Amino acid sequence: AIALNVTGSEGTHGAGSEWTRGAVGARISIMTLDTASLASVHAAADEVLTLAMGGGLDILVLNAGVLASAELASEDGIESVFATNHVGHHLLLAKLLPALDAAADLRGSASVVLVSSHAHLQAPSFGVALSREDLLAARHSHSVLQVYGMSKLAQVLEAQELAAQLNARGSRVLVNVAHPGAVQTNIFAQLPLLLGVGLLGRAITAIFDWVVKPLFWTAEEAALTVLYLAASEEVRAARLSGKYFHPVADEQLPCRTHATNLTLQRAVWRLSNELCGLDL
C-alpha cells in the first residue's frame, strides 16, 4: 500500500491510477497534508498510522517545500517557509517513527528520506535561527535564499541528529538526505516573490521559464536519488544513515561549516520539538 500526502487534490487521483497500473493488488491512499499546519500534520499522520497498523511503515519520504512565501507566519505562528519545509516534516516523522520502527523490526530495515537542497549552503553564517522570534526576524534581516537555505540546512541537521539517536538505541531505521537537483517543478512559480513583480522581475521570470527551466532535471530524473535512498539494497546492506546525496545517488559532504556542528544539530532538534509541542 502507498499513501500519497498532498497539498492539493488536483491531478493526484490520476497519479494514483498511474502508479497502480500493472501492479496486482496495489492500493493507493490519497490524503491531504499541509506541512505548514500542525493540525493538518497530526490528522494526516493519524491516517497513515491507521493504514500501517499491524505491518508498520517501510518508507517515509519528506518532500514538501516552498522556495518563498507571501505569508510571514503559519497559522501556528511559525515563520512560514521554515514551518513548511522543516517543522511540519519534523512532526510527521516524530508521529510515524513508531510505525517505521515496527517495519524495521519485522523486515530488517525501514527508510526515511528527507529531501533537502544544495541551497542549504545559502543559509546565514549562524546556520539556523534558534527561536520562534529569531526565525520570524530573519525574514526581515536576510534574503529569500538565506531563509530558504536555513530551512534546508535544518533538514540536513535533522537527518544527522536522528540517525545518531537511532543508531544509539540500536534501531534499524535508516535516515538520509537527498538533494534532487534543480528540477522542473512548480516550486519556481514562487520566483516573483524572489525577484519582485515589477517589469524587470517579470522579464527575468519569463526568461527563466522559457530558457533556463527546460535545462533542469525532470521530476522523474530527480526522483532517482530519492528512490535509491528509499529502496536500494545497497543502502540497506551498508546500513547508510545520516548521509547526504546529490544526483544521481552520489554521496557527498554537506555544508562543512554547520553539518559537523553537533551542538547546532541538537539545538535545531530541541527547537523543532518545541515548535511542534513535542517532548522527545
Side-chain angles (χ1 to χ4, degrees):
I2 299 172
L4 291 175
N5 290 345
V6 299
T7 54
S9 60
E10 184 179 350
T12 54
H13 290 280
S17 299
E18 184 69 24
W19 281 30
T20 55
R21 185 177 300 167
V24 178
R27 179 164 55 92
I28 299 284
S29 299
I30 297 175
M31 57 196 71
T32 300
L33 166 61
D34 177 4
T35 53
S37 164
L38 297 181
S40 177
V41 174
H42 277 292
D46 290 342
E47 288 190 65
V48 174
L49 288 172
T50 299
L51 290 173
M53 194 174 297
L57 180 65
D58 293 286
I59 296 170
L60 175 63
V61 177
L62 301 169
N63 185 50
V66 293
L67 177 63
S69 174
E71 302 296 328
L72 174 61
S74 70
E75 64 185 42
D76 303 292
I78 305 166
E79 191 281 312
S80 55
V81 174
F82 199 77
T84 303
N85 294 358
H86 174 65
V87 178
H89 290 143
H90 181 84
L91 177 59
L92 185 64
L93 177 51
K95 293 203 66 172
L96 297 183
L97 193 53
L100 289 157
D101 274 324
D105 290 341
L106 286 170
R107 290 177 286 279
S109 69
S111 301
V112 178
V113 184
L114 293 90
V115 181
S116 183
S117 170
H118 188 64
H120 78 276
L121 296 171
Q122 301 298 320
S125 58
F126 53 79
V128 179
L130 295 176
S131 72
R132 184 189 299 264
E133 295 74 20
D134 287 346
L135 285 166
L136 291 168
R139 281 284 292 271
H140 303 293
S141 58
H142 292 79
S143 71
V144 171
L145 280 179
Q146 286 178 310
V147 171
Y148 176 71
M150 185 162 53
S151 71
K152 290 302 182 178
L153 175 59
Q155 292 289 81
V156 175
L157 297 170
E158 168 106 347
Q160 293 177 325
E161 175 62 20
L162 181 57
Q165 292 183 19
L166 293 173
N167 182 63
R169 65 176 174 83
S171 172
R172 298 182 68 83
V173 177
L174 307 176
V175 185
N176 289 294
V177 184
H179 164 52
V183 191
Q184 298 173 20
T185 66
N186 63 4
I187 193 170
F188 293 105
Q190 297 153 351
L191 270 181
L193 293 174
L194 178 64
L195 300 172
V197 294
L199 181 60
L200 180 59
R202 293 200 303 271
I204 295 175
T205 299
I207 293 171
F208 177 88
D209 286 340
W210 285 93
V211 179
V212 180
K213 192 173 178 180
L215 302 176
F216 288 176
W217 297 87
T218 65
E220 292 78 9
E221 291 168 337
L224 293 175
T225 301
V226 175
L227 290 172
Y228 172 78
L229 293 174
S232 168
E233 287 300 325
E234 292 180 11
V235 173
R236 296 183 182 193
R239 309 300 304 162
L240 294 179
S241 196
K243 306 300 184 183
Y244 175 77
F245 285 76
H246 268 223
V248 174
D250 179 25
E251 183 182 346
Q252 295 193 9
L253 291 174
C255 174
R256 296 187 182 188
T257 305
H258 302 299
T260 57
N261 186 335
L262 297 180
T263 301
L264 183 60
Q265 285 181 27
R266 292 162 186 162
V268 169
W269 184 267
R270 288 193 298 270
L271 170 67
S272 304
N273 283 343
E274 177 186 327
L275 294 175
C276 292
L278 298 173
D279 182 20
L280 295 177

